[in-house]
């Protein structure tokens, strides 16, 4: 049985809920009140994850923290098609790692700006927003040229990878940190594709897409 | 440079010009593009028929951005409360909070003109003339390549100044990148053109500047080459790299100056009245629209389809179930349902059955109306609105009664809502629009050549087993409609789940008895003489009322009854509604009691 230590408004927890839903895996959600109770800093939770961060996944007696690491584990263990974490293709696998790191940078900028505005964190919001815009420009350019070559996803290939899921939530929630996505049309089109993946699910602040043609 | 940076945009003048807002490629199918011109945010989307819509980026209801909405190919739906707006007209077609009502025609978003040229989408607040020419791109035989557009956080004139000395690096697989300097051909306020010559001949690059806001600019660029580019993707990358470097320099330069204040843009006022359904406007039977018959085709034995297009303006929004009055040259007025699919907003399509025993309306349309003729028609009116929240929808049509149900079936199919269409016809050759019918696949059952008794049995089977949140829509000959309606009641379909539209009133309407009406709100007491209708009496006394069929079939002239017992004589209301005696049709209803008190 899989248990996810979960918080509904967390983009990092949403990454895991999204992948679990797409892979069709049943799980139990254990809510940890991030705000205002700060339960993720409570002693009982720090026994599970000393970093005091969400999400944490327990699969029987195996415990893992860090959203990108959890996605690597879930895709490697439960994706029978081997497409979400393409272990058989060294170049695509390398690219997945590169964009997982990029997703962490998005979390450190776009998500931080959202924490300032929505959860009263004390970060430099101006610097966070500037950094998020710099990253979004890079991703928009990457996706624009990928699309020109007929590829819809972040990592070149016919199907999406966990890199798409890793980048998706905090890009889509960026406006909650006053980061407009108006200047990133290729990102906006890519997000339509992500929303049309079978099994896609939403969270507060993220809307579904309409039907594809 | 200094002079140019001090120059500011003349917004009033720029509002009268066309500006690029996106590349044509940006408007992918089923996508909504988030655009902006002169500080005004725009929702830009392409419908499945290719039409480009440029709308104010706010839902009329609660002001939510429509650029996060859903483009289903025919309509744009707001993510907040699901208000749906039609392709082209931006008229509201459906309000989920009022599923049984037809939204008023006045609920219509702001639209802006749109055109496509040089691979770009152009728009403006009130643009004059046509989208601007770029002579470098007009040479016959030139190959055009639309580059990746770049948004720049800098004012337009500062950006334009930097583009004048554009250089780039030409990459090749075989040798190191070579720097190419260009020379300036022209530098206008919104266009900068440069050119160069290399071993591939002469190339020209035209930059089109989009005044996104007072302090933000988008640079669109179109490359024209005399030979087709050998490696288009590499050329796109070369210029993207050069333009990105240039953007860094422009933004750095912009930081040396105070940022100009963003434009303040007047948004259309969202009235509280729009949050609820406005009252019907009080008007008589009018025909304000002029349409031209674009095509006439036979779509079944004795049935012709007429495609009507507007002479000058956009045709108003319609909803599934809507009809129009067609005013004929022989002074007759006839009602025809629109058969259109959702989003098919560039024309109205009606189907007319030639009635052997009719009094001339259908014969006139069949014999005398030709392609190219102008017809006077009313605004579309909807007394047969389609709910889009049903768990299941049954559509039951007899003969030419198929027409409003075709519009409904196409709407439900496009939204992937469950429905089934039962179509009763004399024989297969009488089934209208066979091609369209075939697209409904397993959602349609044809019932051909049934006797009245067989029809009854089939209807009974069809209506059996009512489930909550199902709705049935009926349209066809009076006998079949009454039978179906009675069966539905008997099988426990609730009143509000049975929707029907008669296309004529076959009951004998009497005008023998004179009676008195008191108009509670107008303070008038009038006598309706024998031989006169209540509607006529009201109008001659200055009380304006909308009307359409004027034979008790369409429901347009309905008014509330506060006291007295009406003699209904209409076929629009159900038996239960007749028994409530709380409304009547002014065109045919009279009084059983001496006096009626009406809520007008």
């Amino acid at each position: 049985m899989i248990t996810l230590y979960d918080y509904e408004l967390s983009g990092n927890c949403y990454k895991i809920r999204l992948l679990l839903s797409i892979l069709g895996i049943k799980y139990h959600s254990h809510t940890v009140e991030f705000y205002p109770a700060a339960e993720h800093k409570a002693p009982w939770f720090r026994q599970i994850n000393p970093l005091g961060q969400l999400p944490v996944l327990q699969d029987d007696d195996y415990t893992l923290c860090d959203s990108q690491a959890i996605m690597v584990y879930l895709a490697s263990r439960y994706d029978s098609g081997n497409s979400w974490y393409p272990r058989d293709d060294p170049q695509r696998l390398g690219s997945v790692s590169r964009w997982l790191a990029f997703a962490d940078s998005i979390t450190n900028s776009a998500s931080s700006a959202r924490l300032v505005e929505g959860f009263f964190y004390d970060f430099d919001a101006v610097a966070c927003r500037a950094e998020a815009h710099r990253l979004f420009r890079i991703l928009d350019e990457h996706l624009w040229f990928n699309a020109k070559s007929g590829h819809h996803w972040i990592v070149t290939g016919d199907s999406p990878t966990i890199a798409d899921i890793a980048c998706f939530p905090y890009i889509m929630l960026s406006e909650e940190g006053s980061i407009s996505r108006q200047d990133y049309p290729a990102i906006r089109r890519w997000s339509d594709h992500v929303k049309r993946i079978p099994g896609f699910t939403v969270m507060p602040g993220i809307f579904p897409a309409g039907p594809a043609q | 440079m200094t002079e140019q940076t001090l120059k500011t945009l003349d917004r009033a003048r720029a509002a009268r010009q066309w500006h690029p807002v996106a590349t044509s490629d940006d408007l992918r199918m089923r996508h909504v593009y988030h655009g902006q011109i002169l500080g005004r945010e725009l929702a830009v989307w392409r419908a499945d028929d290719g039409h480009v819509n440029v709308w104010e980026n706010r839902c009329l209801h609660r002001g939510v951005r429509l650029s996060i909405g859903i483009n289903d190919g025919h309509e744009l739906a707001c993510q907040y409360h699901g208000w749906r707006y039609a392709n082209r007209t931006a008229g509201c077609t459906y309000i989920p909070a009022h599923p049984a009502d037809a939204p008023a025609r006045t609920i219509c978003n702001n639209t802006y003109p749109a055109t496509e040229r040089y691979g770009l989408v152009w728009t403006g607040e009130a643009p004059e003339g046509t989208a601007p020419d770029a002579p470098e791109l007009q040479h016959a035989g030139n190959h055009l390549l639309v580059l990746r557009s770049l948004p720049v956080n800098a004012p337009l004139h500062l950006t334009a100044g930097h583009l004048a000395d554009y250089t780039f690096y030409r990459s090749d697989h075989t040798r190191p990148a070579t720097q190419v300097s260009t020379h300036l051909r022209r530098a206008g306020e919104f266009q900068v053109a440069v050119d160069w010559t290399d071993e591939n001949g002469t190339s020209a690059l035209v930059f089109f500047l989009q005044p996104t806001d007072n302090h933000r600019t988008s640079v669109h660029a179109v490359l024209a080459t005399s030979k087709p580019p050998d490696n288009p993707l590499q050329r796109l990358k070369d210029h993207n790299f050069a333009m990105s470097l240039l953007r860094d320099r422009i933004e750095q330069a912009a930081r040396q100056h105070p940022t100009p204040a963003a434009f303040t843009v007047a948004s259309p006022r969202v009235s509280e009245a729009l949050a609820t359904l406005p009252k019907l406007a009080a008007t008589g039977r009018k025909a304000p629209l002029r349409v031209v018959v674009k095509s006439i085709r036979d779509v079944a034995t004795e049935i012709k389809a007429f495609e009507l297009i507007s002479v000058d303006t956009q045709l108003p929004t319609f909803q599934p179930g809507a009809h129009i009055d067609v005013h004929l040259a022989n002074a007759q007025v006839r009602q025809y349902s629109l058969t259109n699919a959702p989003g098919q907003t560039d024309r109205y399509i009606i189907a007319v059955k030639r009635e052997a025993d009719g009094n001339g309306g259908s014969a006139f349309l069949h014999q005398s109306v030709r392609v190219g003729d102008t017809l006077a028609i009313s605004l579309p009116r909807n007394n047969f609105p389609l709910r889009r929240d049903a768990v299941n929808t049954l559509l039951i049509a007899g003969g030419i009664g198929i027409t409003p149900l075709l519009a409904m079936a196409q709407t439900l199919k496009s939204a992937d809502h469950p429905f089934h269409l039962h179509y009763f016809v004399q024989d297969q050759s009488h089934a209208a629009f066979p091609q369209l019918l075939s697209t409904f696949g397993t959602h349609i059952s044809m019932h051909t050549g049934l006797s009245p008794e067989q029809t009854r049995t089939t209807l009974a089977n069809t209506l059996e087993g009512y489930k909550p949140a199902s709705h049935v829509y009926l349209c066809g000959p009076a006998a079949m409609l009454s039978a179906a309606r009675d069966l539905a009641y008997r099988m426990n379909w609730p009143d509000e789940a049975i929707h029907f539209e008669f296309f004529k009133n076959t009951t004998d309407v009497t005008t023998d008895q004179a009676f008195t009406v008191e108009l509670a709100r107008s303070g008038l007491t009038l006598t309706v003489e024998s031989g006169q209708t209540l509607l006529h009496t009201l109008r001659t006394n200055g009380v304006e009322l909308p009307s359409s069929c004027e034979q008790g079939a369409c429901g347009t002239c309905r008014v509330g009854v506060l006291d007295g017992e009406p003699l209904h004589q209409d076929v629009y209301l159900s038996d239960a509604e007749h028994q409530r005696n709380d409304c009547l049709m002014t065109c045919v209803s009279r009084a059983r009691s001496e006096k009626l008190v009406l809520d007008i």
Side-chain angles (χ1 to χ4, degrees), chain B residues 554-581:
Chain B
C554 78
T556 306
C557 64
R558 166 183 188 154
V559 302
V561 175
L562 300 173
D563 198 18
E565 190 190 343
L567 168 63
H568 287 288
Q569 308 201 94
D570 68 278
V571 289
Y572 179 76
L573 298 174
S574 67
D575 287 346
E577 286 169 319
H578 280 152
Q579 279 157 23
R580 282 206 290 271
N581 284 335

Side-chain angles (χ1 to χ4, degrees), chain B residues 191-314:
Chain B
Q191 271 188 37
V192 177
V194 298
D195 65 10
W196 65 91
T197 304
D198 56 22
E199 67 266 31
N200 290 312
T202 303
S203 303
L205 183 55
V206 182
F207 297 105
F208 296 98
L209 289 103
Q210 169 190 340
T212 308
D213 205 334
N214 208 7
H215 58 297
R216 291 163 61 219
T217 308
S218 262
V219 180
H220 303 274
V222 183
L223 177 67
T225 51
S226 45
K227 282 194 265 177
D230 49 349
N231 183 351
L233 189 61
Q234 190 55 53
R235 299 290 79 82
L236 291 172
K237 286 184 174 167
D238 288 349
H239 288 288
N240 179 64
F241 183 69
M243 285 166 67
S244 300
L245 287 184
L246 192 57
R247 169 165 71 180
D248 291 345
R249 285 213 300 280
I250 297 169
E251 291 184 343
Q252 207 167 12
R255 282 194 286 270
Q256 311 305 312
H257 302 275
T259 307
F263 287 125
T264 41
V265 178
S267 287
R269 205 168 56 85
V270 183
S271 72
E272 264 309 306
L274 285 183
T276 55
L277 284 183
K279 292 263 180 287
L280 272 179
T283 54
R285 186 145 80 163
K286 288 173 184 159
L289 297 179
R290 296 294 170 270
V291 288
V292 171
V293 179
K294 191 184 169 210
S295 74
I296 303 174
R297 52 196 181 98
D298 292 308
V299 291
T301 304
E302 307 269 79
I303 301 176
K304 285 184 191 296
F306 293 77
E307 198 182 349
L308 311 174
I309 56 166
S310 170
V311 181
D312 39 21
T313 57
Q314 170 64 50

Side-chain angles (χ1 to χ4, degrees), chain A residues 2-145:
Chain A
I2 293 178
T3 298
L4 177 67
Y5 291 90
D6 196 9
Y7 180 64
E8 192 176 10
L9 301 182
S10 155
N12 277 332
C13 294
Y14 169 61
K15 290 175 193 178
I16 309 307
R17 296 197 297 268
L18 190 49
L19 184 63
L20 287 165
S21 170
I22 288 168
L23 294 177
I25 302 169
K26 284 204 170 68
Y27 67 101
H28 167 73
S29 171
H30 186 302
T31 295
V32 178
E33 192 183 303
F34 176 86
Y35 184 86
E39 245 189 308
H40 60 301
K41 300 294 182 198
W44 74 266
F45 186 74
R46 291 207 337 240
Q47 268 184 311
I48 300 170
N49 180 7
L51 284 168
Q53 286 173 345
L54 287 167
V56 172
L57 184 102
Q58 275 176 347
D59 192 357
D60 292 331
D61 52 1
Y62 176 66
T63 302
L64 186 62
C65 63
D66 186 284
S67 61
Q68 331 289 37
I70 294 170
M71 285 197 290
V72 168
Y73 168 73
L74 288 173
S76 303
R77 171 133 189 219
Y78 294 104
D79 173 25
S80 50
N82 221 358
S83 71
W84 285 94
Y85 190 62
R87 281 170 294 163
D88 304 336
D89 185 333
Q91 293 192 347
R92 293 189 73 221
L93 193 61
S95 297
V96 169
S97 289
R98 181 245 161 145
W99 289 106
L100 291 183
F102 191 88
D104 273 335
S105 305
I106 293 174
T107 304
N108 291 332
S109 51
S111 167
S112 297
R114 175 174 175 260
L115 288 175
V116 173
E117 289 195 23
F119 301 86
F120 313 106
Y121 272 62
D122 186 21
F123 297 130
D124 181 348
V126 175
C128 289
R129 286 183 202 121
E131 174 63 3
H133 280 296
R134 189 181 74 89
L135 297 170
F136 287 4
R137 272 188 178 178
I138 291 166
L139 181 60
D140 191 73
E141 179 181 77
H142 173 77
L143 289 168
W144 193 90
F145 280 101

Side-chain angles (χ1 to χ4, degrees), chain A residues 137 140-141 144-145 147-149 152 175 180-183 185 188-189 192 195-196 207-213, chain B residues 25-26 28-36 48 67-68 70 79 148 151 153 216 233 236-237 240 244 247 251:
Chain A
R137 272 188 178 178
D140 191 73
E141 179 181 77
W144 193 90
F145 280 101
K148 268 287 159 201
S149 322
H152 298 311
E175 273 162 359
S180 164
R181 294 187 300 281
Q182 190 189 356
D183 284 345
R188 290 173 50 83
R189 286 189 291 271
D192 279 1
K195 291 173 179 184
R196 287 180 183 136
F207 297 105
Q213 205 179 8
Chain B
D25 201 36
D26 280 329
R28 296 289 163 79
M29 289 317 219
R30 305 290 175 103
H31 179 72
V32 189
Y33 183 86
H34 185 176
Q36 192 172 15
D48 282 2
S67 56
I68 62 166
I70 286 177
Q79 292 275 17
R148 177 169 176 252
N153 292 320
R216 291 163 61 219
L233 189 61
L236 291 172
K237 286 184 174 167
N240 179 64
S244 300
R247 169 165 71 180
E251 291 184 343

Side-chain angles (χ1 to χ4, degrees), chain B residues 533-548:
Chain B
T533 67
L534 170 57
L535 179 67
H536 178 81
T537 307
L538 291 171
R539 285 200 179 144
T540 49
N541 286 282
V543 180
E544 288 256 300
L545 264 187
S547 72
S548 179

